[in-house]
C-alpha cells in the first residue's frame, strides 16, 4: 500500500526535504501530487536530461551517465556535502533544485544518504517488483538512472504538470506585424 515517512522519523526534516514515498504511493490513483500535477514518467525525465545536455543513448543507459546534468539539477549547495556535484561550474543552473534528502530502506526502515544523495521516483514500473528512479550523489556531477528492486523503498518525488501551450502563447504574441508573420527587419 502507499506509504510515506520522514527522514529519521524527525518531522523537522520535512521543512527542508519533504517526505520519502514508496512507489505504491506514487502509483495511487489519488497520487502524491497536487491536483493537475503528476509524477513524471521515466521518458519525461529523460527528456529533461537531454534538454540539459545528455545524448539519447546516454539518457537510455543505466547507472552513471551524462557529463554534469546531476550538478545542473541539484541546488542549495549548503545542504550538500562537498564534492564534484557542488564544485561543478553549472551547479544549480536548471532551476530543478534537487536536495540531498536520502532514502528509506524498505526492509528494515534504515535511513541513508541525507546530505549526500538525492533519489527521485519516476512513475514508470521496471517490473512487478521495481520502478525507475534517479540518483544524484555529492561525489558525481553525472546522474544515475536505475531501477529499485523494491517498490517499498522510500524516495523523494518531484511533480510536473502539463501546460496549455496555446494559452501561454497568447501572452507572448509579437508586438509588431514583422514579428507576427515570422519575418524580422
Amino acid at each position: 500500500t502507499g506509504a510515506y515517512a520522514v527522514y529519521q522519523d524527525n518531522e523537522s526534516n520535512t521543512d527542508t526535504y519533504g517526505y520519502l514515498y514508496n512507489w505504491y504511493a506514487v502509483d495511487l490513483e489519488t497520487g502524491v501530487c497536487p491536483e493537475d500535477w503528476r509524477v513524471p514518467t521515466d521518458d519525461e525525465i529523460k527528456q529533461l536530461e537531454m534538454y540539459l545536455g545528455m545524448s539519447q543513448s546516454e539518457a537510455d543507459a543505466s547507472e552513471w551517465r551524462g557529463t554534469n546534468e546531476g550538478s545542473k539539477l541539484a541546488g542549495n549547495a549548503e545542504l550538500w556535502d562537498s564534492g564534484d556535484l557542488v564544485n561543478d561550474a553549472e551547479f544549480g543552473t536548471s532551476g530543478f533544485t534537487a536536495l540531498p534528502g536520502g532514502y528509506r530502506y524498505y526492509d528494515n526502515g534504515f535511513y541513508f544518504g541525507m546530505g549526500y544523495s538525492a533519489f527521485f521516483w519516476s512513475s514508470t514500473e521496471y517490473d512487478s517488483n521495481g520502478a525507475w528512479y534517479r540518483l544524484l550523489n555529492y561525489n558525481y556531477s553525472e546522474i544515475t538512472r536505475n531501477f529499485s528492486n523494491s517498490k517499498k523503498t522510500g524516495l523523494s518525488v518531484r511533480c510536473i504538470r502539463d501546460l496549455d501551450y496555446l494559452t501561454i502563447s497568447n501572452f507572448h504574441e509579437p508586438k509588431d506585424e514583422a514579428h507576427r508573420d515570422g519575418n524580422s527587419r
Side-chain angles (χ1 to χ4, degrees), residues 13-174:
N13 286 325
T14 59
D15 293 341
T16 302
Y17 301 103
Y19 293 107
L20 302 172
Y21 298 90
N22 68 16
W23 192 83
Y24 298 107
V26 170
D27 193 43
L28 287 175
E29 195 168 307
T30 56
V32 296
C33 297
E35 186 175 343
D36 297 327
W37 292 73
R38 60 188 171 74
V39 176
T41 65
D42 182 57
D43 285 339
E44 289 169 327
I45 299 171
K46 286 185 207 176
Q47 288 176 8
L48 172 62
E49 293 165 336
M50 289 185 294
Y51 175 78
L52 294 174
M54 215 179 267
S55 70
Q56 180 75 58
S57 62
E58 288 173 315
D60 290 338
S62 295
E63 300 299 328
W64 294 107
R65 65 230 216 296
T67 55
N68 66 349
E69 291 78 12
S71 291
K72 292 175 183 178
L73 289 174
N76 289 5
E78 66 278 0
L79 298 175
W80 287 91
D81 287 355
S82 182
D84 291 347
L85 185 83
V86 174
N87 294 330
D88 186 276
E90 294 191 67
F91 177 84
T93 58
S94 73
F96 188 86
T97 314
L99 302 178
Y103 74 93
R104 183 176 189 267
Y105 189 62
Y106 72 93
D107 194 28
N108 58 12
F110 177 73
Y111 294 94
F112 179 79
M114 182 178 278
Y116 55 91
S117 61
F119 293 82
F120 296 92
W121 283 119
S122 80
S123 62
T124 306
E125 283 185 286
Y126 175 76
D127 61 21
S128 62
N129 296 314
W132 290 102
Y133 70 87
R134 295 304 188 277
L135 162 63
L136 282 66
N137 182 282
Y138 79 101
N139 214 24
Y140 297 91
S141 59
E142 303 88 359
I143 186 169
T144 288
R145 172 180 177 256
N146 213 334
F147 61 91
S148 171
N149 61 2
S150 176
K151 295 176 183 177
K152 297 177 186 177
T153 300
L155 306 182
S156 297
V157 297
R158 292 301 290 262
C159 300
I160 62 170
R161 68 178 173 166
D162 296 319
L163 298 175
D164 181 350
Y165 290 102
L166 296 175
T167 302
I168 292 170
S169 67
N170 290 336
F171 292 112
H172 300 289
E173 288 185 14

